[in-house]
Amino acid sequence: MSNKVIQAIYNDDDVLLHAVKKVKAEKHHIEEIFTPFPVHGLDKAMGLEHTRLAICSFIFGCVGISVAATMMYYMMIVDWPQNIGGKPSFSFIENLPTFIPIMFEMTVFFAAHLMVITFYMRSRLWPFKEAENPDVRTTDDHFLMEIALHGNEKELTALLEETGAVEVIVSEKH
């Protein structure tokens, strides 16, 4: 198995999008695409699956509302019940309207914070991680498509130049 990759650099997002469609039509596997900003339709053109982060967000929200209900029940009913403003604290159901803002806030808090942690873990972004960007120009105004080579260097180079690549580089995979 080869460790070589071919990197095609583009200077326009529309040209990149058409190039991805053409490369996928030729049955080549695109390893990665680096862009300075999100390109609408690129995920569909690459054939990427839909994300399951929304399911995680719903689960994290359920955990948040459960923690909030348990916390309020323990604090206000079990541990230290108080008669505040004529409202007896002997039943969770009787006090539910006053607990709704807290449950909402805890749901949002848990969903948001746990989603950030999940996103970083899923993307393998953690503190002190080395950058994996092969060309610094992709953080400014260029787009890079990376394809693994399997003995088809000349054919793939010609295809990428035909699709409008301004530069084609063959390098070792990091």
Side-chain angles (χ1 to χ4, degrees):
M1 186 170 165
S2 176
N3 255 358
K4 286 189 173 183
V5 293
I6 190 162
Q7 299 170 343
I9 298 176
Y10 298 88
N11 57 7
D12 185 18
D13 56 334
D14 290 329
V15 175
L16 171 76
L17 197 55
H18 291 297
V20 168
K21 291 175 183 175
K22 187 154 186 155
V23 168
K24 291 301 275 187
E26 295 287 329
K27 305 281 192 250
H28 293 288
H29 176 68
I30 299 171
E31 293 287 326
E32 189 66 67
I33 295 182
F34 298 89
T35 64
F37 53 83
V39 178
H40 181 69
L42 187 60
D43 53 342
K44 289 181 183 172
M46 287 182 64
L48 298 177
E49 295 178 9
H50 289 287
T51 180
R52 294 182 300 269
L53 287 176
I55 298 168
C56 291
S57 179
F58 177 74
I59 292 169
F60 297 151
C62 290
V63 169
I65 200 165
S66 299
V67 167
T70 304
M71 175 189 72
M72 288 182 302
Y73 176 77
Y74 178 74
M75 283 190 228
M76 301 300 290
I77 308 301
V78 175
D79 187 39
W80 197 2
Q82 295 181 14
N83 188 345
I84 301 171
K87 298 177 185 174
S89 295
F90 306 122
S91 167
F92 185 80
I93 298 298
E94 290 175 356
N95 292 314
L96 191 60
T98 60
F99 293 159
I100 287 175
I102 299 166
M103 290 191 298
F104 172 77
E105 291 297 330
M106 289 292 282
T107 301
V108 172
F109 179 85
F110 269 71
H113 286 80
L114 292 176
M115 279 302 298
V116 168
I117 293 168
T118 302
F119 175 75
Y120 283 152
M121 288 173 56
R122 178 68 180 95
S123 300
R124 296 188 177 126
L125 294 172
W126 36 76
F128 312 111
K129 183 176 187 290
E130 297 267 338
E132 295 179 4
N133 196 345
D135 193 329
V136 73
R137 292 178 290 178
T138 60
T139 61
D140 187 24
D141 62 349
H142 283 73
F143 306 86
L144 186 139
M145 182 187 334
E146 190 173 80
I147 304 169
L149 281 176
H150 301 291
N152 55 353
E153 182 177 336
K154 290 181 183 176
E155 168 198 338
L156 199 51
T157 303
L159 174 67
L160 293 172
E161 287 174 351
E162 179 185 317
T163 61
V166 293
E167 191 175 336
V168 177
I169 305 165
V170 177
S171 65
E172 292 292 323
K173 189 173 185 177
H174 297 279

